[in-house]
Amino acid sequence: DTGVSQNPRHKITKRGQNVTFRCDPISEHNRLYWYRQTLGQGPEFLTYFQNEAQLEKSRLLSDRFSAERPKGSFSTLEIQRTEQGDSAMYLCASSFAQNQPQHFGDGTRLSIL
Amino acid sequence: QKEVEQNSGPLSVPEGAIASLNCTYSDRGSQSFFWYRQYSGKSPELIMFIYSNGDKEDGRFTAQLNKASQYVSLLIRDSQPSDSATYLCAGGEGSTLGRLYFGRGTQLTVWP
């Protein structure tokens, strides 16, 4: 059983550029979550999907952020016009159902120059 | 604002000792609680989860939940240097939503 897969592992970009991250959940997990983690903090919830439906978005998620899960399998998280404050580890997790344990991928570390 | 608070740490214990990690939560509606271990520069790894009051044991790990006191703890018996990491406590919402609320983590060091 493969785990949650995230790509790329690292992304370095200049301020103002757009970036896109991909997450492949554990197969048969219909829930997929995005979190963001900065140094010294616990992960903060961004958004989540049940199958292809995006059911909740955090107030942290400005209109520069968009997430999709078009076929209920993999998901993408796009950040437009990146800012210095977007530098963080972006974590994807999946679970089989509500309140079931969430399993995290290795994350994508974003650095904004 | 739902919150999870963890004892600030850092916590340092000798090899073979019991490490005790604690957290409290603000949302009485929370139904599920999770402990994750996170090594420096890595992603969180699930260690334990608990849904009911009382104790749940898995190998060297015991999770304890007291819903009346809104308190969750993790005990690590026979601590090993490889247990040195940051431990994150997370609560799951009691509604139909699925987000987790994380504490800031407690850094544990087990010295030989």
Side-chain angles (χ1 to χ4, degrees):
Chain A
D1 188 19
T2 58
V4 177
S5 176
Q6 291 189 246
N7 287 289
R9 294 291 306 279
H10 304 275
K11 180 70 177 179
I12 301 173
T13 192
K14 294 181 179 179
R15 184 169 53 90
Q17 298 295 304
N18 299 344
V19 294
T20 300
F21 311 140
R22 175 176 170 132
C23 172
D24 288 85
I26 294 171
S27 60
E28 298 182 355
H29 279 194
N30 59 26
R31 289 204 166 204
L32 186 150
Y33 307 82
W34 287 99
Y35 294 85
R36 179 173 67 188
Q37 186 177 26
T38 54
L39 197 62
Q41 304 293 320
E44 294 177 301
F45 171 80
L46 295 178
T47 188
Y48 91 98
F49 295 83
Q50 179 163 309
N51 299 313
E52 66 275 9
Q54 187 174 19
L55 296 188
E56 189 187 8
K57 292 171 59 173
S58 166
R59 282 172 291 179
L60 290 175
L61 214 63
S62 76
D63 56 6
R64 296 184 298 105
F65 288 71
S66 62
E68 293 182 339
R69 194 182 182 197
K71 297 182 180 179
S73 57
F74 73 91
S75 174
T76 58
L77 177 69
E78 181 182 17
I79 309 174
Q80 296 182 328
R81 305 181 303 280
T82 52
E83 302 174 354
Q84 291 283 354
D86 296 332
S87 294
M89 173 80 89
Y90 288 83
L91 295 163
C92 177
S94 69
S95 71
F96 183 72
Q98 172 198 343
N99 280 333
Q100 292 299 304
Q102 296 179 20
H103 298 272
F104 284 85
D106 289 337
T108 294
R109 184 169 297 281
L110 174 64
S111 299
I112 307 297
L113 301 178
Chain B
Q1 177 77 9
K2 297 183 174 69
E3 291 184 345
V4 171
E5 298 283 342
Q6 295 188 239
N7 50 338
S8 56
L11 179 65
S12 181
V13 301
E15 184 174 357
I18 296 175
S20 177
L21 304 159
N22 306 308
C23 88
T24 58
Y25 59 94
S26 63
D27 178 24
R28 283 196 173 275
S30 294
Q31 300 289 321
S32 52
F33 299 90
F34 305 86
W35 284 98
Y36 288 85
R37 177 175 63 197
Q38 188 170 29
Y39 292 113
S40 180
K42 302 296 186 182
S43 65
E45 173 191 8
L46 181 70
I47 297 296
M48 292 283 290
F49 58 94
I50 187 166
Y51 300 147
S52 304
N53 271 331
D55 295 357
K56 179 181 179 182
E57 187 174 317
D58 184 1
R60 296 186 298 112
F61 299 97
T62 298
Q64 299 174 318
L65 172 59
N66 184 326
K67 290 187 177 181
S69 301
Q70 296 177 241
Y71 175 88
V72 191
S73 67
L74 179 71
L75 299 177
I76 307 174
R77 289 181 301 281
D78 188 24
S79 296
Q80 301 296 310
S82 58
D83 295 326
S84 298
T86 296
Y87 288 80
L88 297 164
C89 174
E93 286 198 335
S95 67
T96 57
L97 302 178
R99 66 160 74 185
L100 294 180
Y101 292 89
F102 283 86
R104 295 181 63 176
T106 299
Q107 186 176 349
L108 171 66
T109 300
V110 181
W111 44 276

